[in-house]
Amino acid sequence: MLYFSVPLGKFVRRVSRLRGGGSALPGLVVEKIDPDFMRRTLSTLPLGVAVVSGTNGKTTTTKMVVELLESQGLKVFTNRTGSNFTRGVAAALLGEVDWRGRLDADVAVLELDEAHAVHFVNKVPPRYSLLLNVLRDQLDRFGEIDKTAELLQHIASRTTGTVVLNREDPRVARIAQTLDGPEVLYFGLDDSLLSTFPNDDDMRAAPGSPVPAAPARPAADVVLRRVGADDADFEYDGATVTTGMKLRGVYNIFNAAAALTLARGVAGARGTGTDQAGLLTALSKVAPAFGRGESLVVDGLPLELVLVKNPSGFRLGLKSFPAAGYATMIAINDNYADGRDMSWLWDVEFDTLRDGGVDQLTGSRAYDMALRLQYDDVAIGAVDTEIAPALAAFIRGGEGKPKRIFCTYTAMLAIRRELSKITTVEVVS
């Protein structure tokens, strides 16, 4: 049956793209005129829908899962723009379905914002869900982290097949106790790496406070055993394997264990076997998602974009990307997509930036960032709340040095737009 909403949505999508509009507008239109569009379209997929959610790492993890499944010969639909509200999924669908609303794919792998995922799973119960972590992020939107955990628990409760959980995050691991029906798989860390990935309670514990006894950890389907400069060791099926990694950042490598767990579950559901060597080869080739450790080239030297949006992400970013030898810029916005409450900057320690200082601060909350750095005795070169001139000054002043920019989400988008005028930037639409 031909639904009027599909050609109309496609028309809106084309007009929106021509005018440079947002990628989610067509989805918003089709949601209003045809609320059943997503359920009707996605229910036809042989392997169903996999939802990826959690506080940190959704975009890169979703990208990994997609590329791993494609290495197994599967056709995968995904919302690759990172527009992780339901209207973003609907907009992405409009770009892939034919005029009759048919989607040529075996499985959908969708990154979804925690709150919007709840609305999505009520309409489209997923066959798989991957729940990454619960950390303090945008408290002005979600409230305390126990509320975020409740959102993830609801996603798991609506999952019909397999739920993949982070064994090392107590709020995520406890979700298993509430489930009756779905298979539960875990991804986890070697004991030697646990201190690298503190959960929210660990990060907020007072120095010297007693550490409560940890409950016994369940066996994990995939365990990250070691992180090297450009490779990593994973254990699964009773053996440890080593693979090269293009991804940088210890948090990305841990999320690779999550992606492997979900991809093995989905590929195994076909009943035709899984090409384990193919999975590792694909994993070794995955490049960072846009703005998440993405490396561009400016004046013949690398310029890295590192997305930061909460204390854990910023801490791990600083740990994963040492400042030595790099010119550094920090761009902090407080738009809705970033979170309005910037008090979380005070939960991050910036002492690793002391030796080289920060060359440039920008964004709407640049002066808040400047004050925070002063308390950690980090020297500051310049402050300019306007991103375009600040970026230009940073590039001019950092001649001969590779560059790194730590940025919140909307600041990252603005910086990529400016950089596209002077270098090759992947177009994501």
Side-chain angles (χ1 to χ4, degrees), residues 1 32 44 47-48 58 77 120 123 154 157 169 188 200 212 247 258 319 325 330 338 347 358 367 400 412 423:
M1 177 182 293
K32 293 291 186 183
T44 63
L47 294 175
K58 295 184 288 294
F77 165 74
F120 176 86
K123 295 179 180 179
H154 183 79
S157 72
D169 187 312
D200 194 84
L247 291 171
K319 183 172 185 176
I330 301 178
D338 306 297
D347 292 329
V358 174
Y367 285 99
M412 178 265 290
T423 189

Side-chain angles (χ1 to χ4, degrees), residues 57-65 247 252 255 286-289 292:
K58 295 184 288 294
T59 300
T60 299
T61 304
T62 300
K63 186 175 189 287
M64 282 191 275
V65 174
L247 291 171
N252 281 332
N255 288 336
V286 177
R292 281 82 169 171

Side-chain angles (χ1 to χ4, degrees), residues 109-408:
V109 180
L110 304 175
E111 170 197 349
L112 285 168
D113 166 274
E114 300 94 301
H116 283 261
V118 168
H119 299 296
F120 176 86
V121 300
N122 286 339
K123 295 179 180 179
V124 187
R127 183 170 175 180
Y128 305 91
S129 59
L130 167 56
L131 308 179
L132 295 168
N133 41 53
V134 178
L135 298 161
R136 288 171 198 272
D137 178 51
Q138 300 191 21
L139 297 185
D140 48 320
R141 286 183 60 204
F142 294 150
E144 276 297 321
I145 59 173
D146 289 328
K147 175 60 178 177
T148 305
E150 290 176 9
L151 298 174
L152 296 185
Q153 190 278 329
H154 183 79
I155 298 166
S157 72
R158 297 286 293 171
T159 302
T160 62
T162 301
V163 177
V164 178
L165 301 176
N166 180 350
R167 180 181 73 178
E168 316 307 347
D169 187 312
R171 288 178 176 81
V172 173
R174 282 198 293 269
I175 290 173
Q177 302 170 13
T178 70
L179 301 178
D180 181 16
E183 175 190 25
V184 176
L185 299 175
Y186 297 91
F187 63 98
L189 291 166
D190 187 86
D191 288 351
S192 65
L193 294 173
L194 287 174
S195 62
T196 303
F197 297 90
N199 60 57
D200 194 84
D201 294 335
D202 294 335
M203 285 197 300
R204 302 185 73 81
S209 60
V211 178
R217 292 183 291 163
D221 185 74
V222 177
V223 177
L224 175 60
R225 291 295 183 195
R226 180 188 64 87
V227 177
D230 55 9
D231 66 356
D233 292 349
F234 298 93
E235 180 183 333
Y236 54 86
D237 294 341
T240 299
V241 296
T242 300
T243 181
M245 299 291 295
K246 278 188 177 180
L247 291 171
R248 296 185 60 199
V250 289
Y251 51 90
N252 281 332
I253 310 303
F254 185 29
N255 288 336
L260 272 171
T261 306
L262 178 57
R264 280 162 46 85
V266 175
R270 294 179 301 174
T272 57
T274 303
D275 177 6
Q276 302 291 348
L279 284 177
L280 291 178
T281 299
L283 186 61
S284 70
K285 296 178 179 178
V286 177
F290 72 100
R292 281 82 169 171
E294 178 182 25
S295 185
L296 309 173
V297 177
V298 176
D299 296 334
L301 293 168
L303 185 152
E304 295 177 341
L305 297 177
V306 182
L307 178 68
V308 295
K309 61 192 187 79
N310 54 39
S312 175
F314 214 149
R315 286 185 182 193
L316 287 171
L318 291 168
K319 183 172 185 176
S320 298
F321 300 94
Y326 277 76
T328 301
M329 172 170 155
I330 301 178
I332 304 294
N333 275 353
D334 64 348
N335 297 319
Y336 176 76
D338 306 297
R340 300 286 189 184
D341 181 1
M342 288 292 121
S343 63
W344 62 265
L345 292 171
W346 294 88
D347 292 329
V348 184
E349 296 169 355
F350 294 96
D351 53 291
T352 57
L353 297 176
R354 252 180 226 147
D355 288 345
V358 174
D359 300 84
Q360 184 79 48
L361 295 176
T362 189
S364 58
R365 299 297 284 268
Y367 285 99
D368 296 76
M369 188 71 246
L371 178 63
R372 177 67 191 93
L373 291 177
Q374 286 180 353
Y375 272 81
D376 273 2
D377 297 319
V378 177
I380 300 164
V383 182
D384 186 341
T385 57
E386 295 298 321
I387 287 177
L391 178 63
F394 176 61
I395 292 172
R396 285 195 308 271
E399 289 182 4
K401 268 188 171 184
K403 300 167 185 66
R404 182 173 297 124
I405 304 176
F406 296 96
C407 43
T408 57

